[in-house]
Structures are given as structure tokens and as C-alpha cells.
Amino acid sequence: MASSPVKTCVMLLNLGTPDAPTPAALRRYLSEFLSDTRVVEIPRVLWWLILHGIVLRLRPRKSAKAYKSIWTDRGSPLLALTQDLADAVRRVLDSDGHDDIRVEIAMRYGNPSIISRLEALRRLQVDKLIVMPLYPQYAAATTASAFDAIAAVFKTWRRIPALNFIAGYHDDPAYIAAVSESIRSFHAAHGAADLLLFSFHGLPQRCRDLGDPYVEQCLDTAERIAAQLGLPHVAWRVVFQSRFGKAEWVKPYCVDVLKSLPCEEIRNVDVVCPGFAVDCLETLEEIAITNRDIFLAAGGVSYRYIPALNAGEGHARLVAGLIKERL
């Protein structure tokens, strides 16, 4: 029997990754990423001079070294784990009777590109597209940029499919439950530390001042998870990581807090990053390795990173649930 035509497609969209852990690949990736006006909101001429005169001359080699430390036989962890998640979501949808839905992945920067995936779907004559950026908390630099890229492609099409764009899910009960269960399982297996740090990717303070709800959503996510775990306020904190450049970013900075904790007699720390759907450079290298070394050098004794949800069953079911709500 011939298979049914594809009418609905789900696109799981992640930030992106270089094609290889090399300076040349990083230069291409960073050039695309840092040229996005949603990512860097300073005058174009000034930023062009900084980007091409300084950043792309110095940063690719340093970043390539960091990527190389986490690269796997399957390539980039972010790409491989995003594909694993898509496969897991497809299995859940199939088991729930939605085997006619296609599940694809795309990257905002790098490959597989949004335009290549959309062109493939156009050839399949997909009628409905559900796009889910894998960013639980909304920020213009991530979520809105993803929408920009989708819209830029659709502007060139005569006929566009019905579009349902999931702009965030920071307070979705299934998301809160999945992260909470991940932490609970980790503590059941390894015991709980003195303090649980919720570390979210940083944001320039100016973006918050201009109206991004990101920080408030991060705080709300952490509050909900802590409440579900029954944690008292003294047992957890929220910090922000991955600061870039000299501008002021939202505080407290993760690194500064890690350096100060041993002075507060807190020497055992667990760190979880609920804003990252799957593990990537920022979690596997920055959080799990670099920041661990910083904490131990400051007098810490135990530092553990609790992995992202990745392709776990709870994650696949929460993503599938968000999708089914939009069918």
C-alpha cells in the first residue's frame, strides 16, 4: 500500500553548530551567527568593524579548541542530540496514532539550514508546518530570530503552508515536570548537594530593558521547578552564564557566584541548565568543565552538572504534547 502524503510537518529548531571543530568552520559559523541583527543590536558599521577586524580573527581558534574537547564520533553533540530528540518525538507521535506527521530538525545557523529544510518540505507540498524552537524561555535573539528566518523564506514563496509557531513553553506543566524529574532522579542516584544552581544563558541588560521577558521567564521556571521539588529558598539560586563582550549582562553571573560560594561555606554544588533542551558547548564544556575548575579552584569540594533533558522519554512526551495541542 502506498504511504499517505505528508500534510503536516513539525520542525524542531535549535540554535546551530559549526560543521567541524576547526577554525575555518568556526569562522563561517560565527560570521553567520554574529551577523544576525537580533543577536548583536549595535550600529551595523561599528559592529562590522569589530566583527571582521577583531572577533573573527581571534575567536574561531579559541572556540574550535573548546568544540574539539566535546566533539563525538557523531559530530556535534547539539546536532546529534537534537536529531535523537526528533526521532524520540516521532516515535511518541507514531504510538499516539499520528504516524502521518513528519518530524524534521533545522538549525538557525549552520546546517541543516532552515532554508534547505523548508525547500524540501515545499517539494513535498506540506499543508501545515508546526515550528518549535527549542528555547523554553523567549528572547528576541533566539525565538524572534528563528521566526525571522522562517518568514524570510516564506516571503519568496507564492504559496505558503499554514504556520503554527511555538514561541515558548517556560511554564508548561509537562516541561516543569520533566526537568523536576530529571533533577529528582539525579539526586536519588547521587545524593543532593548543599546548593542547586539553575544556570540560564545570559542576556545583555539592554535587551531586558527593551522588553525581553526572558529573565522573568527564567526566574519563573526556576521557581516552579523548585516548588515541585519542595526545595526551600536557601537550597537553590538562579545564575546566568556565557557572558560575551564588555557590556553589562543580567546578573548574577554564574562564574562570580561559583567563586564566592566557598566563602559562604557552600562547597558542594549541583548545576542544572533548564534553558537548554539538549546538551551543547555551553553545557558540556563551559558549565561541566570550565566552571567546575573555577569552583574547585575557589575552594569547592564537589561540583556536578545535571544533564539536559536530551532525548529522554519525558522530554519527547512534552514536545509531542505541545505539538498535539496545535494539530
Side-chain angles (χ1 to χ4, degrees):
M1 176 181 291
S3 61
S4 302
V6 176
K7 294 298 182 182
T8 301
C9 180
V10 173
M11 181 182 288
L12 301 184
L13 186 60
N14 217 327
L15 186 74
T17 177
D19 294 324
T22 64
L26 261 298
R27 192 170 293 108
R28 291 192 300 272
Y29 173 72
L30 290 173
S31 178
E32 181 184 6
F33 175 41
L34 297 175
S35 294
D36 188 342
T37 55
R38 290 280 198 181
V39 173
V40 181
E41 299 183 84
I42 66 176
R44 289 294 90 191
V45 173
L46 174 60
W47 176 239
W48 190 92
L49 293 173
I50 296 172
L51 178 61
H52 292 276
I54 302 174
V55 177
L56 293 181
R57 292 177 181 270
L58 302 177
R59 193 170 180 85
R61 188 171 299 279
K62 179 180 179 181
S63 295
K65 183 178 180 181
Y67 271 102
K68 191 172 183 179
S69 71
I70 63 162
W71 213 253
T72 72
D73 293 340
R74 297 176 64 196
S76 162
L78 180 142
L79 179 58
L81 291 169
T82 302
Q83 185 61 62
D84 288 347
L85 175 60
D87 294 342
V89 170
R90 184 183 297 109
R91 289 192 293 271
V92 172
L93 291 173
D94 287 351
S95 68
D96 290 346
H98 297 289
D99 56 355
D100 57 334
I101 298 175
R102 189 182 185 96
V103 182
E104 296 280 0
I105 68 167
M107 298 292 147
R108 176 61 184 89
Y109 315 102
N111 296 304
S113 67
I114 288 173
I115 187 170
S116 68
R117 286 298 199 233
L118 288 179
E119 289 296 340
L121 296 180
R122 178 158 69 161
R123 291 191 291 272
L124 292 173
Q125 298 182 328
V126 169
D127 290 334
K128 182 173 184 178
L129 177 64
I130 301 173
V131 177
M132 182 173 175
L134 294 172
Y135 315 130
Q137 295 77 26
Y138 177 96
T142 51
T143 317
S145 177
F147 181 84
D148 290 346
I150 298 289
V153 176
F154 281 176
K155 281 178 64 176
T156 68
W157 291 11
R158 172 66 60 181
R159 180 182 177 184
I160 63 174
L163 174 65
N164 196 308
F165 186 86
I166 301 175
Y169 50 100
H170 81 280
D171 58 353
D172 181 81
Y175 163 65
I176 300 301
V179 179
S180 299
E181 181 56 32
S182 172
I183 297 169
R184 189 179 293 113
S185 296
F186 184 91
H187 285 165
H190 306 287
D194 298 333
L195 183 70
L196 176 64
L197 284 184
F198 293 95
S199 186
F200 295 88
H201 198 286
L203 185 80
Q205 180 62 41
R206 180 175 178 274
C207 296
R208 185 183 189 184
D209 296 340
L210 288 172
D212 274 26
Y214 176 78
V215 175
E216 285 68 31
Q217 291 185 359
C218 290
L219 297 175
D220 187 43
T221 292
E223 185 78 43
R224 289 170 185 270
I225 295 170
Q228 192 155 126
L229 292 172
L231 297 177
H233 280 285
V234 295
W236 62 276
R237 299 185 196 180
V238 174
V239 294
F240 296 91
Q241 66 192 69
S242 307
R243 181 186 176 196
F244 176 75
K246 297 182 179 180
E248 181 181 1
W249 285 44
V250 292
K251 297 177 180 177
Y253 301 144
C254 182
V255 169
D256 290 350
V257 170
L258 289 173
K259 289 178 180 178
S260 68
L261 288 178
C263 298
E264 302 176 38
E265 301 301 320
I266 298 174
R267 293 188 167 85
N268 301 286
V269 171
D270 289 338
V271 184
V272 66
C273 299
F276 292 87
V278 302
D279 281 314
C280 56
L281 181 74
E282 285 83 356
T283 61
L284 298 174
E285 195 277 334
E286 180 183 355
I287 289 293
I289 299 174
T290 301
N291 286 9
R292 176 182 181 275
D293 292 344
I294 289 171
F295 179 67
L296 297 182
V301 174
S302 172
Y303 176 103
R304 302 178 303 191
Y305 167 63
I306 300 174
L309 295 178
N310 294 320
E313 182 179 356
H315 198 191
R317 291 204 169 276
L318 87 84
V319 173
L322 290 168
I323 291 165
K324 287 189 289 185
E325 290 174 3
R326 290 156 173 83
L327 293 177

